[in-house]
Amino acid sequence: MERSQQKQIVEALIVAAGEPVSAARLAEIVPGLDASDVAGLVAELRGEYEAQGRALEIWEVAGGYQLRTAASVAPYLRLLHRERAVRLTRAALETLAVIAYRQPVTRAEIERVRGVDAGPVLKSLVDRKLVRIAGHREVPGRPLVYATTKRFLETFGLPKLDDLPTLREVEELLPPPEGAAASVTPLDADTGEAIEPSPPPSELH
Amino acid sequence: MHETGTPAAVGSASSATCAIKLDLFEGPLDLLLHLIRENEMDVAELPVSEVADQYVAYLDVMQELQLDIAAEYLVMAATLTWIKSRLLLPPSDEGEEEEGPDPRAELVARLLEYERFKEAAEQLGEFTREGRDVFKAAVPEVAPTPEAEREIEVSLLALLDAFRKVLARVPAGPGLHEVEADRVTVYARMRAIMDQVGSFEGSLAFEQLFDTPGGERPSRALVVATFLALLELVRVSALRVYQGMREDGVPAGPIRLRRSDEGADEWRRRIAEDPREVEGL
């Protein structure tokens, strides 16, 4: 298939998908397209959008490509999407930061870092699907552990977790929290059922 | 009141305002960090003697304003007081002072740790955020078929059965004093059904067809005309009638109606051409 035709289809797929769509998925659908060529095609599309001054951009987030509106038109979209505004309090951001860098992490560990009760914030983050219950820590009491979700990556425009900026190192490193090394029984992201045997819990794409 | 500057910022009358001001701090660690900064000191040095007093003064103000002080703040006040007293104790003679850990060490470690995450959170807050700074181009969702709607088309028999149940609930007929009943025509009911189905995303339950605007019991004439109208709409393919299906393929659950796109277009054309439309039947 002609490269120009492949590009056209890739563009259509990214537009129609809404959610981030991975290079592998695109290659699967577009005849004769290799996953390694996807980045090149996307780069061309980006170039075209930019040259034409379009309001659209293709972002690489949460392990895939997603079409988004340019930041320059955000004020107008905020008026359009009033109910969708993603407001996060400082408490929510701090809790997210602890989970993002320490996952899988228990509520007690989050509270130890922040020095305050984490319950309500955790609930709201789980409700907003930025955080999920990833399983149990295999220590007495089997506390739940929390991890970030794909939605988290999408919301913050991160291709993958490794793209978080590194946490500033400090001279005084705390000893790892008790039981942090204990194994975790992961829960299925959809059903909440325990998955056995346990794959690594941070299977974020 | 101790002079810290911060309590003054809190000193407003309404409790609503106070609650907002209090939100400036995310907890005792955050408040402590703030006080250390105010004193232009280093976290690692943790100037306990200064900070402990200011911290307690802050809690006093909160109390004066009759704010609920979270238990965590009180625990921290106790910790600070304890550390302060430890630091004031004269070192014991027996060389122990060399070995004893700095009572501040653990708190300093926690403060540094918290500070890292506080910075990380600030960074996170400045990230370009989907839903705030950029928006995903939202193509209307192609709704996946919910599992309850694995449907089959309903047989005429099932439809008749449902109709009998509805009919059984309405009065047998006009009483002796026949008040001028609503003039119900099949054609008008056909239009009403199409309006009703058209205003629904997805499907409409069979029973809803017989709902009256006021919620009163439908007349027998209305029920009959409605049912005939339904049959006619199915015949001209403007509507399809479905029922859920169990795992084993047996029809089950409520009967539902759905517009059939090609037939509905045809129907609209017919309405447009039909003179009765103008008469407003």
Side-chain angles (χ1 to χ4, degrees):
Chain A
M1 182 180 281
E2 294 276 329
R3 186 176 164 81
S4 61
Q5 204 180 343
Q6 288 179 335
K7 189 166 72 179
Q8 198 182 24
I9 300 171
V10 164
E11 181 181 30
L13 292 172
I14 294 173
V15 171
E19 301 307 308
V21 51
S22 70
R25 186 88 180 101
L26 291 170
E28 208 177 286
I29 297 173
V30 182
L33 181 66
D34 201 77
S36 57
D37 299 334
V38 173
L41 288 180
V42 169
E44 281 179 33
L45 287 168
R46 280 180 178 148
E48 289 165 22
Y49 288 173
E50 207 184 323
Q52 297 166 12
R54 310 306 295 256
L56 298 171
E57 293 169 356
I58 298 176
W59 280 56
E60 192 181 349
V61 288
Y65 296 99
Q66 187 175 49
L67 191 71
R68 297 180 159 193
T69 59
S72 56
V73 293
Y76 308 99
L77 283 135
R78 277 198 282 272
L79 293 176
L80 180 70
H81 289 308
R82 251 178 224 147
E83 75 290 353
R84 266 192 68 206
V86 179
R87 290 206 185 77
L88 290 167
T89 60
R90 255 185 71 196
L93 283 169
E94 286 186 13
T95 306
L96 264 179
V98 177
I99 297 171
Y101 286 100
R102 285 281 162 84
Q103 58 187 314
V105 63
T106 65
R107 172 173 166 178
E109 286 159 5
I110 298 166
E111 288 175 344
R112 190 182 150 71
V113 171
R114 296 195 58 237
V116 289
D117 178 32
V121 179
L122 264 178
K123 185 180 180 309
S124 122
L125 290 174
V126 170
D127 285 348
R128 294 164 78 169
K129 300 200 164 53
L130 292 168
V131 162
R132 68 189 175 93
I133 293 167
H136 294 278
R137 169 91 28 91
E138 292 303 342
V139 294
R142 302 186 76 232
L144 295 173
V145 290
Y146 296 86
T148 54
T149 59
K150 206 169 163 178
R151 171 77 59 86
F152 166 81
L153 294 176
E154 211 184 315
T155 300
F156 289 94
L158 296 165
K160 52 193 186 307
L161 266 185
D162 293 347
D163 294 304
L164 275 171
T166 48
L167 202 53
R168 187 174 61 92
E169 296 301 329
V170 288
E171 311 74 33
E172 315 245 3
L173 280 175
L174 278 181
E178 226 169 285
S183 69
V184 167
T185 305
L187 297 182
D188 187 283
D190 299 320
T191 64
E193 301 284 322
I195 305 165
E196 311 277 357
S198 45
S202 53
E203 78 293 4
L204 290 140
H205 315 293
Chain B
M1 188 199 302
H2 206 283
E3 184 196 330
T4 66
T6 313
V10 181
S12 159
S14 97
S15 64
T17 323
C18 297
I20 291 162
K21 294 283 185 195
L22 195 59
D23 276 351
L24 284 174
F25 297 105
E26 284 301 328
L29 292 171
D30 196 25
L31 173 54
L32 260 186
L33 276 182
H34 171 79
L35 294 175
I36 293 167
R37 296 266 170 279
E38 289 258 295
N39 286 283
E40 297 181 342
M41 303 286 278
D42 196 15
V43 175
E45 298 302 317
L46 189 55
V48 173
S49 48
E50 291 93 333
V51 166
D53 289 344
Q54 292 168 9
Y55 185 94
V56 171
Y58 194 90
L59 293 199
D60 285 347
V61 172
M62 283 159 73
Q63 223 147 24
E64 229 166 274
L65 294 167
Q66 304 193 318
L67 298 175
D68 280 337
I69 301 174
E72 297 97 353
Y73 282 96
L74 300 177
V75 172
M76 181 61 74
T79 306
L80 286 171
T81 310
W82 177 80
I83 294 174
K84 193 178 162 189
S85 67
R86 283 286 303 272
L87 291 173
L88 288 174
L89 282 179
S92 62
D93 297 331
E94 300 306 314
E96 197 195 326
E97 73 273 26
E98 299 297 326
E99 314 294 323
D102 186 336
R104 296 173 303 181
E106 200 205 327
L107 185 54
V108 168
R110 284 190 67 192
L111 281 168
L112 288 172
E113 166 107 332
Y114 173 68
E115 197 177 30
R116 290 164 76 202
F117 283 105
K118 192 182 158 178
E119 282 176 8
E122 278 161 14
Q123 257 186 306
L124 210 53
E126 284 163 16
F127 277 22
T128 304
R129 200 178 304 165
E130 198 279 320
R132 182 187 70 178
D133 309 313
V134 295
F135 295 81
K136 62 180 169 193
V139 172
E141 258 179 61
V142 183
T145 311
E147 53 163 318
E149 302 201 2
R150 297 191 320 134
E151 293 163 329
I152 50 172
E153 290 199 49
V154 168
S155 69
L156 186 58
L157 208 63
L159 207 52
L160 275 172
D161 209 43
F163 171 61
R164 270 182 29 223
K165 282 180 195 151
V166 174
L167 205 57
R169 290 204 303 263
V170 300
L176 284 179
H177 307 283
E178 182 166 349
V179 186
E180 173 57 17
D182 307 330
R183 276 176 58 238
V184 188
T185 67
V186 172
Y187 188 79
R189 290 309 298 157
M190 284 167 75
R191 288 183 47 203
I193 291 172
M194 287 309 283
D195 285 349
Q196 213 177 348
V197 174
S199 65
F200 267 76
E201 295 282 326
S203 63
L204 182 72
F206 176 74
E207 286 76 14
Q208 279 173 279
L209 284 183
F210 306 96
D211 289 347
T212 53
E216 67 270 17
R217 234 166 13 167
S219 71
R220 203 171 177 85
L222 182 78
V223 170
V224 173
T226 301
F227 187 68
L228 291 176
L230 172 63
L231 291 182
E232 180 63 14
L233 285 170
V234 172
R235 194 183 67 78
V236 301
S237 302
L239 271 187
R240 285 182 192 282
V241 186
Y242 293 94
Q243 191 171 22
M245 187 170 65
R246 293 198 319 227
E247 287 299 313
D248 54 7
V250 174
I255 292 174
R256 304 191 67 83
L257 317 175
R258 207 183 292 272
R259 256 165 55 163
S260 153
D261 284 334
E262 65 276 25
D265 287 344
E266 169 64 23
W267 163 255
R268 251 180 260 116
R269 263 194 301 280
R270 278 176 52 185
I271 287 191
E273 291 161 5
D274 198 308
R276 281 176 293 186
E277 161 76 0
V278 185
E279 290 161 28
L281 272 166

